[in-house]
Amino acid sequence: MRDAPRLDSPAWLAAVSRGEITEGRYVAERAARKQTGSTGPEGGLDAIAAVAAIALPGAGYLVRGRMARGLCGGGAVLGLVLCGLLIGGIDAVDSREDKAWYYGQMLVGPLVFAVDWYHQEQLKAYPTVRDGAAGIEVVRGAPDARSFRVSAGRLAVLSKRTVGPDERREVVDVTVEGTRPFETKLAVAVPAEDGVGAPPNRKSLAKMNEIGTLYVLVAGMMNLVLILDALFPSRGPSRGPAQASAKAGAS
Amino acid sequence: MIDLMLAYRPILDPLDLHGVWYLLLLPLSIMLAMAFKAARVRDGDDGKLPIMVYLRQSIVFTIQIILGMVGLYALALLVVTVLLPMAV
C-alpha cells in the first residue's frame, strides 16, 4: 500500500479532470485507504520519518526521499537556531532561568538539549560569597593559597549562574561540610582580582535576549510543523477533485 | 582585559544591536516563512517541491508577516497615543 499513488498525484488528478475517475470513486478510494490503516502516503502514520524529524530538523523529509523539502525546511529551522544563538548568545537557551520559553525551544530536538547542557554545565558556575550574597565561601590561607567550603544545606539551595563580567570560572575542590564532610569538584565564579581571565560567556540582556530567545522558540514551533507533517503524511495540504477540476479548467 | 571582554565571541556573547533590534525581525520572518512553506507548498507535476513556487510563496508570506507586525504596531500606537488619552 505504501507504493500506492497519492490521491493528489498528477496522474490521479489528470484522470479526475478527464472524467475517467468519478468524484464518488475518489472519495471511496480515500475512505478505503484510511479504513485499512494504510501506512502509505495517503493514510496512517510514518513513525520512522517522525523519529528522524525529531532527531534532526528536516530529516523526516529526507527519510521519505523528499530532499528539497528536507533541506529547505530543516535549513530554515537550523538557521533560526543559529541566528538566535548569534543574536542572544548562548544565554538565549536556558532551561533554568527561562523555563517557560525552553519548553517551546525543546521542540527543536537534541540540538537544543546539547546547547542547554553546555550552557548549564560548562559555562555557568556557583557564586562565591561576595557583598553579603549567599555562595561558596573562599577561605584565605597562606599567600597564594585558598580553599573553598560550603555547608551541605546551603549547597542544596544554591544554583549556578552566568559568570559576571568581573569574574572568571574555575573548577576547584570544595569541602562540603555536614554530618559527613566530603570534597567535590565544583565550578565557582571567583573575582578576577588579578585581572587575569575573563568570563566564559556574557549574559544577554533586554532586546537581544528577547529576540534571541524568540528565534529559537520560533524554530521549535516550526520544527513541530515539520514533525507533524512527517508523522501524518496524509494530513498535509490535500487537493481534492473539485479543486483539480477547477485547476484543469483554468489551464 | 577590557578589550577581551568587548570582543564579540560568536554564540558565547550577545550581539550589541539594541539600537536596531527591529531589523532583526526581518530574517526571523524570512526563515519562518521558509520553514512553514517547506511543509505547505504542494508537490509539482513531477512529485517534487517546485522551487520557484516555494520561493514565491515564501516571499509573499514574509511580506504578509511583516505587514502584520507593522499593522499590530500601528494599532498599538493608535490605542496608546490616541484612544487611551481620549478615554482618560
Side-chain angles (χ1 to χ4, degrees), chain B residues 43-65:
Chain B
D43 284 340
D45 290 340
D46 57 355
K48 293 178 180 174
L49 178 72
I51 293 297
M52 293 312 293
V53 175
Y54 167 72
L55 289 177
R56 192 175 67 241
Q57 289 199 17
S58 296
I59 291 169
V60 169
F61 192 39
T62 301
I63 293 169
Q64 287 173 338
I65 293 170

Side-chain angles (χ1 to χ4, degrees), chain B residues 17-18 21 23 25 28 38 54-55 63-64 72 74 76 79 86:
Chain B
L17 294 174
H18 287 89
W21 64 269
L23 293 179
L25 296 176
L28 175 75
Y54 167 72
L55 289 177
I63 293 169
Q64 287 173 338
L72 285 173
V79 169
M86 285 170 62

